[in-house]
Amino acid sequence: MNGPTGSLPPSGAGGAAPAFRLGALQIAAPILGGLVAGTALAYVLVEATGGHMTAGELWSWVSATVIASVVVPSLSPRYGVELTHNQLVLLGGGRRKIAWQDIVGMEIRKTAGIRTVVVQVSDGRRTPLRAPMSLLDRGFDDKAQVLTGWWAARRGGPDRV
């Protein structure tokens, strides 16, 4: 799942640099939920408009939903973050690097019951991180603490720590 690719260093100040990535289930669950809800809505609309959907047609919709929820996660980029000594590296669809000293704050945001880390950059941008995320991950709090610990230890200058 949404785990580090290395062991979690104590309080984020040392040890091997961790990387957090979304697991296949974390990508598939929202897709599957959306496809199932879409299928149910389509069936309700067909019934409400006086049309008719046979059991075979419903089975085809559900089968397509399940297959799509298995295939789509394997095709999507591996979203995540890597922590290095000098910067936070955002992965997925490309690489974006943010120097630790350019990060002025980190907060936990809860949207639709799912918690994520939001990075506040000195130029005013707020970037929600794709990983770690609390969906299907009981270790989210520990990972968020590691992330903020790395930032606190590396953000620069003794007056800012």
Side-chain angles (χ1 to χ4, degrees), residues 1-125:
M1 294 217 191
N2 183 9
T5 56
S7 61
L8 297 178
S11 65
F20 302 105
R21 302 203 194 299
L22 291 181
L25 275 178
Q26 290 177 303
I27 296 168
I31 294 168
L32 178 61
L35 292 172
V36 167
T39 299
L41 180 60
Y43 187 69
V44 167
L45 290 174
V46 166
E47 289 297 319
T49 59
H52 183 67
M53 184 182 285
T54 66
E57 291 170 329
L58 179 60
W59 178 251
S60 296
W61 278 68
V62 171
S63 299
T65 300
V66 171
I67 290 170
S69 66
V70 171
V71 172
V72 170
S74 66
L75 299 176
S76 63
R78 296 294 293 168
Y79 292 107
V81 296
E82 291 177 354
L83 285 57
T84 70
H85 181 68
N86 297 320
Q87 58 202 359
L88 174 67
V89 181
L90 309 178
L91 307 169
R95 277 176 90 83
R96 180 172 159 217
K97 300 174 183 178
I98 305 172
W100 291 115
Q101 68 264 19
D102 292 340
I103 299 173
V104 296
M106 288 189 179
E107 66 181 87
I108 306 297
R109 180 186 297 167
K110 188 173 185 178
T111 305
I114 299 171
R115 293 177 294 141
T116 58
V117 177
V118 177
V119 174
Q120 302 165 18
V121 186
S122 59
D123 65 5
R125 287 181 295 158

